[in-house]
Amino acid sequence: MERKRPGASKDELRWIAFIVVVILVWSSASAQIRYSIAEGVNEGTAVGNIAKDLGLEKNTLKERGCRIVEGLSESFFRVDQNDGILYVDRIIDREKVCERNIACLINLKAVLENPLEIHYVTVEIQDVNDHAPSFSVKQYRLEISESVLPGLRLQLQAAHDPDVGQFSVQEYKLSPNNHFRLEVKDRGKEGKIPILVLLKTLDRETKKIHKLLLSAIDGGKPSKSGTAEIFIDVLDVNDNMPVFNEDTYSVLVNENTPTGTTIVKVNASDLDEGSNGELIYSLGSNVNHRIRELFRVDPNTGEIIIQDVLDFESEESYEIDIQASDKGSAPLRTDKSVLVKIVDLNDNAPQIEVTSFSKAIPEDARLGTTVALISVIDKDSGLNGKVICSFNEEVPFKLSPSTHDNMYSIITKSPLDREKQAIYDVTIVAKDAGTPSLTSVKSITIIVSDVNDNRPEFSANPYTFYVTENNLPGVSLFSVRASDHDEGENSHISYHILRDEKENSKLSSYSLNINSDNGEILALKSFDFETLKTFQFQVVASDSGTPLLSNNVTVNVFILDQNDNAPVILYPLSSNGSAQGVEEIPRNVNAGHLVTKVRAYDADIGYNGWLLFSLQEVTDHSLFALDRYTGQIRTLRSFTETDDAEHKLVILVKDNGNVSLSATATVIVKLVEPKEAFAASDAKSAAKDDEDSNVIFYLMITLGAVSVLFLVSIIVLIAMQCSKSTDDTSKYLQKADYDGTLCHSIQYRSGDRKYMLVGPRMSIGSTIVSGSHANTLVMPDRRRPPEERLCTSYPSPTTLHAVWFESV
């Protein structure tokens, strides 16, 4: 014996292991539930417990919407979602549903929704013996010549029983007689056919007619039967039977062959002469009505002709009994079977059926989520019935074939985004493998439902607003706007102000509120520029989705000054609070002598706080002059003996607002002899020092507080708008006694806006003016032309004012 090679043994083991794995995977993936019931059971009869057999809880069926899908046009079953039991919904007649098929199987699909799942259930309908065999003709006659030798075989009409298997016709019986016996021929799906066999020669002179009783009995317990009477007329002579030239006849015919086509010709001969030897052809007595509709035989030529359309999907082959009979007085007949095989053509386009469909799928569905189940049916066979499905365009879905033939799942293959595309019109193309190939299409609409995956987005970030002080309380100041790309509740936006511990004190001071629906912001109190120049807060926009998504934005608010503060006289200031002072000077002073300096303060900035001094009333215009910018009073000439000893000067101090505000101060100038003036000056200097020290102390406190607030706002503005200038060094000016002049304009840009700062002139290169307010911004920019660079001077304590203007 030849020894096997080791390699071959290992290959065989690998193949065996692979086949076992495939069988296990196939069985687990395509496991079916199979039930069996008898036909004719009453409605409501329980078939089986689907929930138990699928391993599901009873309440799961109702929650997931279990239902039964049948491929038949009629529905025979239903499932109770409460107990999971499959019930008969209507009485089933097996003979109508499956005709004479041996196995009567009804295939069901148990579909579970949410998530989508399908199980296959097969119900076998068992036959019961509810029909008795019957003959189409209760009496028929046969003619047999007396010359016929024993052994004559006559095929009798078979009984018909709609039942199948053991309940169909199982045997035939013939009534007792001396001349005939009965044989039974099994024709497979055609059933059993009785054949009458002549045992001995008939003698017409002895008996002209033989009467026999043929019984057909089925295999039921108890059995059922049907009978037919056979009358045999004994004829004389004609003792040769027709004989066919071929032992067997078989032919291949394409389906859809045109009617009138001859498919085969049979030929028989008879040794008799005359009418006993002339033959005619006909269909056998056992040919059913469907074959008679499809075929006919020419009685003279024996040609079998198609007279109706052949359909492979209805029947794959036909066995036709052809009978050749002579024309003798006692005709002799011979039967021959012709096997006609139908050749399948690709004449059926695939049919696409949507078994289950989730019309809407959330945009955050995981990859591989099942959208729909489809089944494709092609009635053709072989390659003609092999179907391939695909999409006719690029979509974020794919067709996944099932373990069952021509079953597909539509699943997601890439992420979905409703904001990019909310509706997909998907066209499924089913194409068979026949020649020529046939195609069918089916379109379904898949809707992508929204989930809350987009945060609100503000139209700007940050927002910058300018609000004039003394605004009306409760009136809308400005508004913020946000949008959300989601839809429905997911895009409904509400607004609120983000308040924390650091900002609570600020927000409470001016009571900011926001309309939660439209983002309008209002203040319940008026702003005061002198108290607050700028502030910042955050607004939060939240949608109404689940989970809630939000976004915030920073809002910068700058308060614009109005001329709402009148000038305040700081000097002269008498003990009773009136702006009046007395100055004593020697008579011998020269022209240009500084008599005194009127000091004034305005809480406003810019033009609103820029003060000008003028003489409203003076006793002698030739003696005194007033500097309109500094408030210094100087002599114009030397005094003479004729000049009065006392002079009254009334000084008007007014700002440069649109509606100017003013204050007045009175200075009494007394002329004294030089010795008296020297003594008086010593006495007044001490008192004046005390007075000036108090005034300066309070002034510095006031100016320091305002300067700190303004300095903070300017630093924020510089960081946001002018961060590009990094190589310029800043310094504070220390020249405290400079009287100052007015700068014409200082300009800078922020985005698309242009701003102008107006205030007292400073030296080039300065950054912050220290003084009463420290509220004048100076920003040198060496990248700009010289005419746009900043030019300011240190202001006197009476003229520390600056204002922002936005150029159009």
Side-chain angles (χ1 to χ4, degrees), residues 403-601:
T403 53
H404 287 72
D405 289 341
N406 298 337
M407 285 292 298
Y408 292 87
S409 300
I410 300 178
I411 62 176
T412 56
K413 72 172 183 179
S414 59
L416 303 175
D417 189 350
R418 188 203 65 83
E419 286 69 40
K420 292 182 179 179
Q421 187 168 351
I423 298 177
Y424 291 91
D425 292 321
V426 179
T427 301
I428 305 167
V429 179
K431 183 177 182 180
D432 62 27
T435 303
S437 178
L438 298 180
T439 302
S440 62
V441 297
K442 188 174 186 65
S443 296
I444 62 174
T445 299
I446 301 175
I447 298 175
V448 181
S449 60
D450 186 46
V451 298
N452 194 26
D453 59 346
N454 288 279
R455 295 179 181 275
E457 295 180 0
F458 284 94
S459 58
N461 190 6
Y463 282 96
T464 300
F465 297 103
Y466 298 88
V467 179
T468 304
E469 67 172 333
N470 302 320
N471 57 292
L472 293 177
V475 176
S476 175
L477 300 178
F478 44 81
S479 64
V480 296
R481 289 289 184 272
S483 60
D484 196 314
H485 295 298
D486 296 319
E487 66 176 359
E489 287 297 319
N490 295 333
S491 64
H492 184 268
I493 299 175
S494 60
Y495 304 87
H496 72 274
I497 295 176
L498 182 64
R499 304 177 188 271
D500 55 26
E501 295 180 357
K502 295 180 180 179
E503 296 295 332
N504 274 341
S505 58
K506 286 187 178 181
L507 295 177
S508 61
S509 64
Y510 40 82
S511 299
L512 280 181
N513 279 342
I514 188 170
N515 188 318
S516 61
D517 294 326
N518 57 25
E520 288 189 354
I521 298 174
L522 53 88
L524 301 181
K525 295 181 181 180
S526 296
F527 294 113
D528 184 8
F529 177 81
E530 288 70 39
T531 303
L532 181 68
K533 292 178 175 54
T534 181
F535 62 90
Q536 183 185 85
F537 63 95
Q538 288 190 325
V539 174
V540 179
S542 304
D543 59 27
S544 302
T546 302
L548 181 145
L549 298 179
S550 62
N551 204 350
N552 57 358
V553 68
T554 299
V555 180
N556 297 307
V557 181
F558 293 91
I559 310 301
L560 301 180
D561 184 45
Q562 285 187 331
N563 192 25
D564 58 345
N565 291 280
V568 177
I569 304 298
L570 299 178
Y571 182 83
L573 190 63
S574 62
S575 59
N576 59 5
S578 63
Q580 182 174 342
V582 178
E583 293 292 336
E584 293 181 351
I585 61 174
R587 274 185 177 273
N588 61 351
V589 296
N590 297 321
H593 175 74
L594 178 61
V595 178
T596 187
K597 184 175 182 180
V598 178
R599 295 180 176 88
Y601 162 76

Side-chain angles (χ1 to χ4, degrees), residues 9 124 144 146 148 160 213 258 272 333 393 429 508 647-648 705 788:
S9 178
E124 181 182 6
I144 301 177
E146 64 177 349
V148 175
H160 174 70
L213 183 64
D272 295 325
R333 301 179 181 89
E393 58 185 358
V429 179
S508 61
H647 298 272
K648 179 180 180 181
E788 293 187 5

Side-chain angles (χ1 to χ4, degrees), residues 174 176-181 196-203 206-207 210 212:
L174 190 66
N177 65 91
N178 296 324
H179 293 85
F180 300 93
R181 68 178 178 85
L196 189 65
V197 180
L198 182 63
L199 294 178
K200 63 181 181 178
T201 304
L202 299 177
D203 187 1
T206 303
K207 192 174 183 178
H210 295 264
L212 305 174

